[in-house]
Amino acid sequence: MDISLSARISHLQPSPTVALNTKAKELAEQGHKVINFSVGEPDFPTPEPIVEAAIEALRQGKTKYGAAGGGLPLRKAIAAKLEKENQLSYQPSQIVVGVGAKEILFHLALALINEGDEVLIPAPYWVSYTEHVLAAGGKPVVIPYPQDHKGPRLTPEMIKPYVTAKTKAIVLTSPNNPVGYVMEREEIKELGAYLADKPWWIISDEIYEYMAYDGEAVSIGTLCPAVRDRFILVNGFSKGYAMTGWRVGYMAGPARVAELVRTLQTQSSTCLPAFVEEGALKALSLGPDLMKDKMQVLKGRRDLAVRLLQDIPDVDMIPPKGAFYVFIDIRKNLEKASAYKNHNSLAFSAALLEKHHVAMVPGEAFGAPGFLRLSYAVHEDVLTEGLRRLRVALQELR
Ligand SMILES: Cc1ncc(COP(=O)(O)O)c(C=O)c1O
């Protein structure tokens, strides 16, 4: 019988990064030497003390349901972290812990958006923001990627043409995925002054907070008290503590928003596994110093990636200041090949994987055709070999 499916959900795109990663794994299983630059996760293991804390929790029988929205000890520890590191004061009731920042962001979209509400998303953006908004019945309004690559990433002048009476929220990501841009203080202050009287939620995704190699990652909530009543901070443990598989993320914001997000969790994933919470608590008790050496390793890889890329003819990029990605501009190369008209990096990325066994996410996934995203959270030798293959693939376009 031909029973209809949800039209809204049928229109969603599956996560392109997850899809590419799956395809790369398939090729590797067939015996190919695949270089996977597509995944957004550090290649180092979760630190041992965190693993031990979770194992110990399992042994102690923490195998039952946890508390919806996160147990009080974990929410208190997150509040203490936000106070100490970000100078932001929250009550535990304003904090919700979810199954990854992705679940938190999805539930936030459901909690904030009414049918037709518009959400401003500056490109290039993390792949899931637009789909979350669509799933919630809202309209993602993409602020296009500035072509010149220079100057601040986001100014009030760039936002203004996209504002309507239906604008409901804006999403900020710094350090940024996929560009690796870290917003500067002056830029944040200018943005904060503009947003001060706007009736919009300001969703600040700060998941790459600890990965700022040049300059520092500062929250708009910290710098601009005038936006605090509409400010919603999102962060997690995946990147900063190499805990992607543990699935722990959180939000902090107005209590009424937190309450709705928590309600959604009670009706979906229910809670975080209790033993996972113990791992997260351990991570917070050890603090970001635990990962300092690893951040230096990532910085070294960033420098290596930039050096190798600068050597490839007609490849452009903004040297990234944070996160672990380089957003590589291959438009000049694509213009040389009729197969990749209109800067079709989607087709080029498919060919790069098929022929050269290198997986890189195409710019289309982030709202910026003609680019490839390189995740350099891989060993230096892998980075060098993968970029050698990219060079060969681009040379073949001539
Ligand atoms: C910008 C950004 N936000 C959120 C997430 C989701 O992280 P989590 O693993 O906590 O769901 C990612 C993961 O790639 C990301 O890049």
Side-chain angles (χ1 to χ4, degrees):
M1 269 187 282
D2 190 16
I3 309 171
S4 69
L5 298 171
S6 156
R8 187 187 281 173
I9 302 303
S10 301
H11 286 117
L12 297 190
Q13 296 297 321
S15 164
T17 40
V18 175
L20 203 67
N21 195 23
T22 310
K23 173 86 181 148
K25 283 197 170 129
E26 264 171 36
L27 283 170
E29 278 161 14
Q30 289 163 19
H32 298 293
K33 287 207 161 39
V34 175
I35 291 198
N36 195 346
F37 289 147
S38 72
V39 276
E41 66 183 349
D43 64 330
F44 29 85
T46 305
E48 200 58 25
I50 300 175
V51 174
E52 284 303 327
I55 293 172
E56 185 51 30
L58 280 168
R59 292 221 168 87
Q60 284 176 4
K62 294 207 169 161
T63 55
K64 309 287 187 196
Y65 289 128
L72 188 59
L74 182 54
R75 284 182 291 125
K76 275 188 175 165
I78 291 170
K81 176 259 180 248
L82 294 172
E83 182 80 56
K84 181 170 172 223
E85 295 175 18
N86 310 92
Q87 298 79 51
L88 289 165
S89 297
Y90 288 101
Q91 297 299 319
S93 59
Q94 296 178 280
I95 292 167
V96 186
V97 189
V99 183
K102 194 183 249 182
E103 183 193 72
I104 290 287
L105 284 159
F106 192 22
H107 285 170
L108 264 176
L110 293 172
L112 302 178
I113 293 170
N114 286 314
E115 197 74 33
D117 282 349
E118 295 179 1
V119 178
L120 297 170
I121 302 175
Y125 48 79
W126 180 53
V127 293
S128 296
Y129 299 142
T130 48
E131 308 314 293
H132 290 171
V133 172
L134 288 168
K139 181 176 166 203
V141 175
V142 172
I143 302 174
Y145 182 48
Q147 298 289 317
D148 65 359
H149 288 191
K150 311 281 186 318
R153 301 297 309 160
L154 192 65
T155 61
E157 292 316 308
M158 285 157 67
I159 299 173
K160 280 175 193 167
Y162 299 93
V163 175
T164 75
K166 289 187 176 163
T167 305
K168 183 73 174 281
I170 183 164
V171 183
L172 305 175
T173 317
S174 176
N176 179 274
N177 171 9
V179 184
Y181 186 75
V182 182
M183 283 171 92
E184 289 175 9
R185 279 176 176 261
E186 284 317 305
E187 185 181 351
I188 297 172
K189 281 188 191 160
E190 192 191 353
L191 211 53
Y194 170 69
L195 294 172
D197 62 354
K198 300 288 177 292
W200 312 336
W201 296 109
I202 300 159
I203 301 167
S204 178
D205 182 345
E206 303 180 10
I207 198 152
Y208 295 97
E209 177 187 19
Y210 297 144
M211 292 158 177
Y213 316 114
D214 309 321
E216 51 169 344
V218 194
S219 174
I220 189 169
T222 308
L223 277 192
C224 310
V227 305
R228 276 294 301 278
D229 59 334
R230 283 146 291 144
F231 168 72
I232 302 168
L233 179 148
V234 177
N235 204 335
F237 294 73
S238 285
K239 319 289 175 173
Y241 288 100
M243 290 173 70
T244 46
W246 296 63
R247 314 305 302 127
V248 201
Y250 59 88
M251 62 143 285
R256 64 194 182 106
V257 176
E259 205 177 307
L260 278 198
V261 171
R262 192 173 305 113
T263 300
L264 279 165
Q265 199 186 52
T266 66
Q267 299 295 8
S268 56
S269 58
T270 304
C271 61
L272 217 60
F275 59 91
V276 166
E277 284 203 14
E278 293 301 322
L281 263 172
K282 189 65 175 184
L284 289 175
S285 76
L286 296 167
D289 278 355
L290 180 66
M291 305 302 288
K292 264 214 163 112
D293 291 355
K294 301 291 188 220
M295 299 306 149
Q296 281 308 108
V297 171
L298 284 177
K299 183 174 190 245
R301 290 176 184 171
R302 187 271 316 256
D303 295 342
L304 175 64
V306 168
R307 254 197 333 273
L308 293 170
L309 284 164
Q310 278 168 342
D311 238 27
I312 303 181
D314 289 333
V315 155
D316 206 356
M317 85 200 107
I318 327 173
K321 294 180 174 174
F324 42 74
Y325 309 104
V326 193
F327 206 48
I328 309 168
D329 184 349
I330 56 163
R331 286 176 297 181
K332 282 187 204 146
N333 285 279
L334 295 180
E335 280 159 15
K336 291 175 194 147
S338 57
Y340 304 117
K341 279 206 178 71
N342 302 321
H343 298 143
N344 190 343
S345 41
L346 191 69
F348 180 75
S349 137
L352 185 66
L353 182 56
E354 271 309 322
K355 188 163 172 215
H356 297 273
H357 302 139
V358 177
M360 287 171 102
V361 189
E364 281 84 348
F366 311 95
F371 290 74
L372 293 173
R373 187 192 73 172
L374 161 79
S375 167
Y376 55 80
V378 293
H379 192 277
E380 288 76 3
D381 295 345
V382 177
L383 193 53
T384 307
E385 169 58 15
L387 290 182
R388 186 196 65 77
R389 291 189 201 175
L390 174 68
R391 186 193 182 101
V392 172
L394 290 174
Q395 252 161 11
E396 286 173 359
L397 301 181
R398 281 151 200 273

